[in-house]
Structures are given as C-alpha cells and as structure tokens.
Amino acid sequence: GERGVELAAVVLEAGLASCVDIAAKAYPFLPIRLPLLMRDPFHNALRAQRMPPSLPVLQLHGGKDELVPLSDGKALFRALPASRKRMVVLGGAGHNDVPYNDPRRYLTEVAAFLHEEVLQGAGEGRGD
C-alpha cells in the first residue's frame, strides 16, 4: 500500500460520502463550504474511488442514523470500486451504536465477511 501496509479487506462503519455535504444540509444558514470552517471536508466518496477494485469492502450502517443519513452511506457505497462489496443496514441502529444495537448480527456479519474474504480468500490466492 501507499503507507507500507497491505490490506486484505476493509470494514466501514457508519461511513459518509462527504462531511461538508452533511454539514451544509444541517446548517444551511452557515457558509459551511468555506475552507475556513472545515479544514477537512471528508470527501470520502472521492477518496474511496482511489481504492483498489480488488480490495473487498463490508459497509455497515444504522437504519436510524441521526448524523449520517442512510442515503449518504449508500452514496459512499456506490463510489467504492470494489468488485466484492457488501452493504448491511442494521435497522435499529443509529450513528454511534452500530455495533451495540444488535451485537449478535453485527459480529455475525463482520465474522462472515472476514472469513469469506480474508481467510478463504487468502487460500484461493485472493489475499495478495
């Protein structure tokens, strides 16, 4: 990787496409898009497009996320170039309780993804 770390997979939790877009919707009366107000606008959808398509991604998002609307999470998901990607919406979860609202389902989804993409994938030569 660009920082010397080779990733086998990525798990995103409550991901957002663009922080500045969310802030602009929440505070339409403020000039949010000025660089002085947000030093890093977190344009994650643009950053996601630079990820290698071979890198599998699991994205988990709360269906009741009060900070990052599900539509924004879906926009990030669409931007991911991964040929193997999966989005899981945890219906009762908000933004800060994605792993805690239904921990059994959360852990089952993450474990199944890592088993399939990392453990089995490495055995099939996909782990490089």
Side-chain angles (χ1 to χ4, degrees):
E2 69 182 54
R3 294 189 181 164
V5 176
E6 294 298 325
L7 300 177
V10 172
V11 176
L12 298 173
E13 186 179 294
L16 57 137
S18 170
C19 190
V20 73
D21 289 346
I22 290 172
K25 288 176 191 170
Y27 304 102
F29 50 89
L30 292 175
I32 295 294
R33 297 188 188 281
L34 292 177
L36 296 173
L37 290 180
M38 291 192 82
R39 296 180 78 195
D40 185 349
F42 291 96
H43 291 301
N44 294 334
L46 294 174
R47 291 177 177 153
Q49 293 171 358
R50 297 192 311 252
M51 293 173 64
S54 61
L55 188 63
V57 178
L58 171 64
Q59 183 173 342
L60 301 130
H61 205 96
K64 295 183 178 179
D65 192 323
E66 65 285 357
L67 295 177
V68 178
L70 183 56
S71 59
D72 202 68
K74 288 180 177 180
L76 176 59
F77 184 75
R78 285 190 303 273
L80 294 165
S83 59
R84 296 182 322 277
K85 62 183 178 178
R86 180 171 178 216
M87 182 166 192
V88 175
V89 177
L90 300 165
H95 185 74
N96 293 316
D97 66 345
V98 170
Y100 312 114
N101 184 270
D102 185 351
R104 182 179 304 260
R105 178 157 183 231
Y106 177 90
L107 292 172
T108 299
E109 296 286 355
V110 172
F113 170 76
L114 293 175
H115 183 265
E116 180 181 319
E117 296 296 344
V118 178
L119 297 177
Q120 287 183 343
E124 297 171 9
R126 290 191 333 212
D128 50 25

